[in-house]
């Protein structure tokens, strides 16, 4: 009976994988073999849960190859989701955005998410969702993945209300610094010549938003205009 139930669970999970991913029966069987291997190693509460996690990895992390890499990514996603009371879908979307935005491996992405969560960045239960939404913005602004997480950690140490505050700050700065409006120009001309030069250079692609932001923060700190620049975008 036990063997029959196990076979039925395997078949049900395989059918779920085939329906969700649109693969052939043979491909679904190979993927379910991977899910079964993960489950037998003690990950997930059921084969069905592990299969669901594998599906999310395949859907959200298209750079992941089948086999050992897919197995490890499924394990990592399950552990992060369970440990930090999050959803596998959010975890895999976050890892994928780190991979695509910063050019890192799946292992590096999951390791960074784990360290960030361990450092308290999931205090408002939105680390993975925020990274999934904003990582590409920070990368395009010229920040490294390490920069991005260090800034979130600084903001957390400064007791920001939530991570959205930090991420929205860069989003708004990115919009303002590029809008070429008279209002922005008036404010930029109140800063140092070095900052003004960088601001103008970024229009020609010769400076990054990160460089402009760091220079603005430096000027504001020197003028006593902000209490803790490191918690923003320095």
């Amino acid at each position: 009976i036990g063997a029959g139930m196990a076979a039925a669970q395997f078949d049900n999970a395989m059918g779920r994988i085939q329906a969700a991913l649109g693969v052939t029966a043979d491909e679904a069987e190979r993927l379910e073999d991977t899910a079964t291997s993960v489950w037998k190693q003690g990950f997930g509460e059921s084969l069905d849960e592990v299969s669901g996690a594998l599906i999310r990895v395949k859907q959200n992390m298209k750079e992941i190859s089948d086999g050992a890499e897919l197995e490890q990514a499924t394990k990592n996603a399950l552990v992060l989701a369970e440990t930090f009371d999050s959803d596998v879908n959010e975890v895999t979307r976050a890892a994928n955005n780190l991979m695509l935005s910063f050019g890192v491996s799946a292992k590096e992405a999951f390791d960074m998410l784990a360290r960030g969560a361990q450092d308290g960045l999931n205090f408002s239960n939105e680390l993975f969702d925020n990274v999934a939404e904003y990582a590409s913005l920070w990368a395009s602004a010229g920040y490294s993945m390490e920069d991005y997480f260090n800034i979130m950690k600084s903001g957390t140490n400064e007791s920001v209300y939530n991570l959205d505050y930090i991420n929205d700050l860069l989003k708004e700065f990115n919009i303002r610094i590029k809008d070429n409006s008279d209002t922005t120009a008036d404010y930029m001309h109140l800063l140092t010549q070095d900052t003004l030069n960088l601001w103008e250079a970024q229009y020609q692609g010769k400076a990054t938003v990160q460089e402009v932001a760091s220079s603005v923060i430096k000027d504001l700190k020197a003028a006593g205009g902000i209490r803790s620049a490191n918690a923003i975008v320095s």
Side-chain angles (χ1 to χ4, degrees):
I1 297 176
M5 289 180 63
Q9 288 181 24
F10 184 93
D11 289 342
N12 289 339
M14 191 179 78
R16 179 183 176 190
I17 287 175
Q18 186 174 8
L21 300 178
V23 296
T24 66
D26 287 343
E27 289 171 325
E29 184 174 2
R30 286 194 295 271
L31 292 173
E32 191 50 37
D33 284 338
T34 298
T36 302
S37 175
V38 171
W39 181 44
K40 286 182 176 180
Q41 292 174 60
F43 295 86
E45 295 185 358
S46 66
L47 179 57
D48 189 60
E49 180 185 4
V50 175
S51 299
L54 182 143
I55 289 170
R56 287 302 187 185
V57 172
K58 289 286 291 182
Q59 289 175 329
N60 294 337
M61 305 180 70
K62 299 190 183 301
E63 301 293 317
I64 296 290
S65 58
D66 291 348
E69 189 177 22
L70 175 61
E71 180 172 325
Q72 188 59 53
T74 303
K75 293 177 184 177
N76 289 339
L78 283 164
V79 169
L80 278 175
E82 180 180 0
T83 303
F84 299 104
D85 194 24
S86 297
D87 183 82
V88 168
N89 186 50
E90 291 181 355
V91 170
T92 51
R93 286 177 59 241
N96 183 64
N97 207 6
L98 290 178
M99 291 174 66
L100 296 181
S101 300
F102 298 105
V104 299
S105 68
K107 181 181 185 304
E108 290 171 319
F110 280 119
D111 284 350
M112 182 61 76
L113 289 169
R115 287 199 300 273
Q118 290 163 0
D119 282 340
L121 300 189
N122 199 40
F123 69 96
S124 55
N125 295 319
E126 58 181 352
L127 170 63
F128 305 111
D129 183 61
N130 265 238
V131 171
E133 182 176 356
Y134 291 106
S136 57
L137 175 64
W138 288 84
S140 65
Y143 293 88
S144 69
M145 181 172 69
E146 290 75 16
D147 291 335
Y148 176 30
F149 276 76
N150 285 337
I151 289 167
M152 286 195 291
K153 189 173 189 303
S154 294
T156 299
N157 291 342
E158 292 293 326
S159 301
V160 296
Y161 179 71
N162 55 37
L163 288 186
D164 264 330
Y165 176 84
I166 300 170
N167 286 295
D168 280 339
L169 188 60
L170 179 68
K171 180 180 178 181
E172 291 303 316
F173 184 84
N174 191 58
I175 292 171
R176 300 302 177 205
I177 212 68
K178 293 180 177 181
D179 67 7
N180 205 21
S181 68
D182 290 341
T183 300
T184 299
D186 288 343
Y187 280 116
M188 295 305 294
H189 279 86
L190 295 175
L191 301 174
T192 63
Q193 189 61 46
D194 285 345
T195 297
L196 184 60
N197 290 342
L198 282 171
W199 174 62
E200 292 174 343
Q202 60 91 25
Y203 281 110
Q204 286 78 48
K206 297 178 181 179
T208 65
V209 172
Q210 185 271 337
E211 290 173 313
V212 179
S214 293
S215 192
V216 169
I217 294 299
K218 181 181 177 181
D219 289 352
L220 293 176
K221 286 180 71 176
I226 54 176
R227 180 171 59 87
S228 180
N230 289 332
I232 308 178
V233 290
S234 60

